[in-house]
Structures are given as C-alpha cells and as structure tokens.
Amino acid sequence: MARQSTAPLGDVCVLGLGKTGREVAGYLLDQPEGRVSSVTVYGGASSHEGDVTRELGERGARVVLGTEDVRGTYDLTVASPGISEFSPFFKAAAACSQEVIGEPEFAWRESPRRWVGITGTNGKTTTTTLATQLLRTAGMRAVSVGNIGTLCTAELRDRPDDEWFVAELSSFQLATTRLLHPHVAVLLNVTPDHVEWHGSIEAYAAAKEKIFQNLTADDLAIVSDEDSWCRAVIRRLRERGLRVLTLNVHDVPSPDVTSAAFVRDGRLCVRLDGEEHVLLPVESMPIKGEHNVQNALAASALAIELGVPDEDVEKGILAFRALEHRIEPCGEVRGVRFVNDSKATNTDSVQKALTAFAKGRIVLLLGGHDKGTDLGPLAHDVVEKCKAAVCFGAAGERIASALEDELQSEGGALLVQRAPHLREAFEAAVADAEPGDVVLLSPACSSFDEFSNMAERGRAFKGYVAALGGTKGGM
C-alpha cells in the first residue's frame, strides 16, 4: 500500500455535508488515535439533522447545523468545492483556521506520490478517463479521481504504492491548493465559465493556472496554445524553465519546438523532448470532433511521458468510447440520429461539439439556466452549421433572440424555434429532422431551471429517444 502521511493534523474543521464533506470527515475519524485531535463539521445555513449527521456525531465528530458562522480555533479546515473562497462561510472559517484547503490538496498531502492533474474549461472528464485507460492498457495501475466523481480521499485507504492518481481538477478545487504537485499537469483550454463563483474571468483563469504552481524542471506541463489565456500561461511556464508540451489541433509546430502534440497528415503525433511518436489516424478514433482530437493528444502525451508504449496508446484510443452525456450516441429513429451532449453547459463546448457533425444536418437543442454569457460567437457558429435550433428553458428566449440577430445581420437559412421545456423542444426537433439529420442536445447552459443536474437532463433526453423506439446507433 502507498505510504500515507502520519503527521499530526490537530483540530480539523470540515465545511459542507455533501459528498466531499462526508468523505473527508469519515477519513479523519478513521485515523489512528492521536493523529486528529478533533473533527468539527459545519453543514451550512440550510443543513439539518439526518442519518449522516447522526452517524458522524456517534463516531465522535462535532456537527454544527443551520449556520455559516464558524467559531472555534482550527489547525486546518477542508472546504467542499461548492463553497466559494469569496463567500461569508469560507471567510468565517478562514478567520479561525491556520489554513483552509480543498479536498484534492488534502488528499495529495496525505499521499503525494504518482499524481497527474488535468484541468480546463472543457474536455477534462474525457481526457482524464482516456488517460487512465491508456495507462491501464499498458498494464499500469491507475484510477480517475477528483472532479470526475470519485473523490481523491475515497481512494486513499487502500491505495497501492505503484498506482497513479489521474485527477480531474476543477477551478473550484484548484483555487484552494497550495502544495499540490502533480508530475504531469494538463491545461486544455480557458474560456469564460463560473465567473459568478470566482468573481472575474481573471480569477477563474488564475485558479486554473494553479495546477502548475509547484512544477519543477523534472515535471511536464501540457498546455493548449489555441486560446490567448493558455498562450500567456505557456509564456510564464517557459520563463520558469519548465518542460512545456504544447497542444494544437490545427497547426504543425516548427522542428525547433522540442515538445508538442499535433495532427500531421491526418495522424496524431506527439513530440516529446525531440522524439516523435506518430500514432493512429484521426479518422480511426471512435470519439469524434476537434475537441476530442485535442483530448486524445493530451492523454497520449501524458501517457507517453509516463512510459506507455505507442502501440498501447493506439490500442487504448481505439477501445475508448464516448462518455455518458458527452457527444453520446443514444439512438436512431427513421434515419435520424440522436446525440446526448448534456455536459455542454457553456457556449465553447457547444461550438466544439458542432465540429463532430456534417454542416447543415444538425437540429440543435439549446437552453436551460441562463449564465448570462456572451452569445455572439455561439450564434455565429449555430447559424453557419445547423439546420434548425430549438431554444428552451429560462435562457431560451435570449438564445433565440441572439440567433435571430445573427440571421438578420449575416443572413442564413437556420430555422429558430422556441419551446418552454426540454420535452417540448425535443418534440419540435423531431418534427424538424429528416433522415440523415442529427438531433443534438448540446444546451450551452446549466440545467438548474428544470433539472437537478446535467445528468438528469441527459437521461431525460435519452428517455424521450427510447420512447420513440430508438435503436442504439453509432456515429
């Protein structure tokens, strides 16, 4: 088993009673006698007594409910990722704690060997899952942890010494890191998202960049050079003398660039410290779209850095299939394909999803909770590439108006429709679609106006397809 820290933790506070708070509190209560002096859990303003709070209390934790007024003195506080560092709850904890950190930072301190980290506005989950598969294809121990759903802390107890943690890290999680030090750190892209949580796009981008804060010359930074935020990060990393591998789907780097991942002559290529690895053709990849080419390049570069042979990289990519809610084929009815991309909760991810399908054959479902983001670039791409768009939910009217403004100024043949909810939008899309078309749920919005999360929304869409008698279809 991997060696875990035995250093005393003292008095520890945990903020939040969701999945993260429960797991961290349980882990602390399992520690050997004397390592943790006390465990206090603050549930937050809306928390109330239940089975979880009673169990934690019976195991020795002090559980405080119905308030965000944190009191006491703590050596360490571990905050759940949904609690913004700018919130009164977080600030109250910081005022009486030596240090406030997030769960991945806590898990790294407990077991710091063999970590890689992956972040970006879009593509994190696919890249994390694919990278884990590539390592496993080569016979290496690896597990996907972090924002992907399996908490890092949950994997600590029985962690083998030779196992790699492939950690998907959100901006929320990275914002509270200080010592976290992966051997390979990946930044896929930075586009506006979660600005309301961080306070500004600059703070959001700075949180993403923290994934590199502790890298040394022995580590590898993998960074896209296809957006201005990432290009600025590359410049700063090189100024620090770090090894940087750039990602670019569209341009082949000059020979003097020693480390890069790119597409040449239709094939994935990874150049690492001057040595080129020419991999499989893009056309043979089961996952489609330019964004998935970038995801595959990033995962391949990470795997090759960790010693995975080229043939295992190719084998792992060929065996990889679309994840649920991420450009997921979910049926075909009377020649019309249906694809669930409910995970596309921002405009940039929708724009990338559109590259996976034939121009003029897409009937697009857009809408949900309105994040208030700029719709101009999205409207341009939808008008250019789609046959029809059905706009629904709280953001539906604003999106429909943006599409109509684009049509008026630039022209086009896009059919724009409105619907109150996803079900009605689905019915309108089915009526618009003809054999050879694809009905794509890629909403550009979060789901909270109608559903509890994006997964519930995606499964609702798949249920509608199933009710039509859809057969599982490929792409």
Side-chain angles (χ1 to χ4, degrees):
M1 294 300 158
R3 294 184 298 276
Q4 293 180 19
S5 174
T6 57
L9 291 169
D11 297 302
V12 184
C13 179
V14 178
L15 296 189
L17 264 170
K19 181 178 180 181
T20 298
R22 296 194 303 268
E23 183 61 48
V24 172
Y27 177 86
L28 291 167
L29 293 167
D30 285 342
Q31 293 306 295
E33 185 176 354
R35 186 166 184 233
V36 180
S37 303
S38 68
V39 177
T40 300
V41 182
Y42 272 81
S46 62
S47 60
H48 52 82
E49 187 175 356
D51 292 342
V52 171
T53 62
R54 284 189 286 270
E55 179 185 349
L56 291 174
E58 289 169 2
R59 295 182 61 191
R62 173 175 168 256
V63 182
V64 183
L65 304 173
T67 182
E68 295 182 355
D69 183 16
V70 181
R71 301 194 177 189
T73 302
Y74 305 101
D75 297 291
L76 178 70
T77 289
V78 182
S80 298
I83 302 170
S84 169
E85 59 186 321
F86 305 108
S87 68
F89 195 12
F90 190 101
K91 290 178 179 178
C96 51
S97 305
Q98 292 290 323
E99 189 177 22
V100 182
I101 62 174
E103 184 269 335
E105 170 86 2
F106 174 74
W108 184 87
R109 294 183 186 190
E110 291 294 287
S111 181
R113 288 170 50 83
R114 297 180 184 266
W115 280 67
V116 296
I118 297 165
T119 195
T121 305
N122 300 303
K124 298 185 296 295
T125 300
T126 297
T127 303
T128 299
T129 308
L130 178 55
T132 302
Q133 178 159 312
L134 299 187
L135 298 180
R136 290 175 174 174
T137 301
M140 301 166 67
R141 291 181 185 267
V143 60
S144 299
V145 295
N147 192 59
I148 201 165
T150 301
L151 294 176
C152 308
T153 305
E155 295 291 327
L156 290 179
R157 293 175 178 85
D158 300 316
R159 186 186 183 194
D161 192 56
D162 60 348
E163 181 179 69
W164 283 96
F165 271 11
V166 184
E168 177 189 331
L169 299 170
S170 71
S171 59
F172 303 163
Q173 294 169 323
L174 287 166
T176 50
T177 59
R178 189 169 67 85
L179 303 178
L180 179 71
H181 181 176
H183 172 58
V184 183
V186 180
L187 176 60
L188 296 166
N189 42 61
V190 176
T191 59
D193 201 10
H194 301 304
V195 173
E196 73 285 354
W197 193 95
H198 291 279
S200 68
I201 178 62
E202 289 79 11
Y204 170 69
K208 292 289 189 187
E209 191 172 350
K210 289 185 77 173
I211 197 170
F212 305 113
Q213 65 185 330
N214 294 307
L215 263 59
T216 66
D218 295 328
D219 303 314
L220 179 65
I222 299 175
V223 192
S224 167
D225 67 357
E226 298 200 64
D227 70 64
S228 59
W229 293 99
C230 288
R231 285 191 290 271
V233 171
I234 290 171
R235 184 180 66 252
R236 288 189 285 269
L237 294 176
R238 285 177 170 159
E239 288 172 352
R240 288 169 54 191
L242 298 181
R243 293 169 65 221
V244 180
L245 183 145
T246 57
L247 299 170
N248 196 309
V249 173
H250 300 98
D251 297 324
V252 178
S254 61
D256 62 326
V257 177
T258 58
S259 295
F262 51 95
V263 176
R264 185 177 58 210
D265 299 328
R267 303 183 79 95
L268 301 181
C269 299
V270 174
R271 187 187 300 161
L272 182 59
D273 299 327
E275 181 180 349
E276 285 208 356
H277 304 258
V278 180
L279 304 171
L280 72 166
V282 170
E283 282 300 313
S284 67
M285 289 172 46
I287 52 175
K288 303 301 181 183
E290 286 183 357
H291 61 301
N292 277 325
V293 176
Q294 185 195 57
N295 297 339
L297 287 171
S300 299
L302 183 157
I304 290 169
E305 165 69 10
L306 298 188
V308 176
D310 292 5
E311 57 269 26
D312 286 329
V313 171
E314 294 182 324
K315 189 186 303 182
I317 293 174
L318 288 171
F320 190 73
R321 295 295 180 268
L323 303 177
E324 189 178 18
H325 313 303
R326 294 160 181 85
I327 314 188
E328 175 197 8
C330 55
E332 184 173 320
V333 181
R334 295 183 291 278
V336 176
R337 290 179 296 150
F338 293 83
V339 177
N340 166 29
D341 192 36
S342 184
K343 183 67 167 60
T345 58
N346 56 59
T347 58
D348 183 67
S349 55
V350 179
Q351 291 171 262
K352 290 174 177 174
L354 296 180
T355 68
F357 307 98
K359 184 176 177 179
R361 304 309 303 263
I362 306 167
V363 179
L364 181 62
L365 300 177
L366 288 164
H369 173 71
D370 195 346
K371 292 183 176 182
T373 52
D374 177 22
L375 298 175
L378 173 68
H380 176 272
D381 284 5
V382 172
V383 168
E384 180 184 28
K385 298 176 181 178
C386 296
K387 173 181 180 177
V390 187
C391 307
F392 66 94
E397 180 57 42
R398 192 167 79 92
I399 295 172
S401 296
L403 296 176
E404 289 167 345
D405 289 345
E406 179 71 15
L407 281 168
Q408 186 172 3
S409 62
E410 300 297 330
L414 180 75
L415 173 65
V416 179
Q417 297 191 79
R418 293 163 170 82
H421 305 102
L422 178 59
R423 177 180 285 279
E424 293 90 344
F426 177 84
E427 292 169 352
V430 170
D432 293 337
E434 299 174 319
D437 290 344
V438 57
V439 173
L440 171 65
L441 171 66
S442 192
C445 301
S446 59
S447 59
F448 304 125
D449 61 331
E450 185 177 352
F451 301 97
S452 60
N453 53 51
M454 68 84 192
E456 182 183 325
R457 176 174 61 191
R459 290 180 186 130
F461 176 81
K462 292 195 289 185
Y464 305 154
V465 176
L468 289 178
T471 58
K472 188 72 175 177
M475 290 174 60

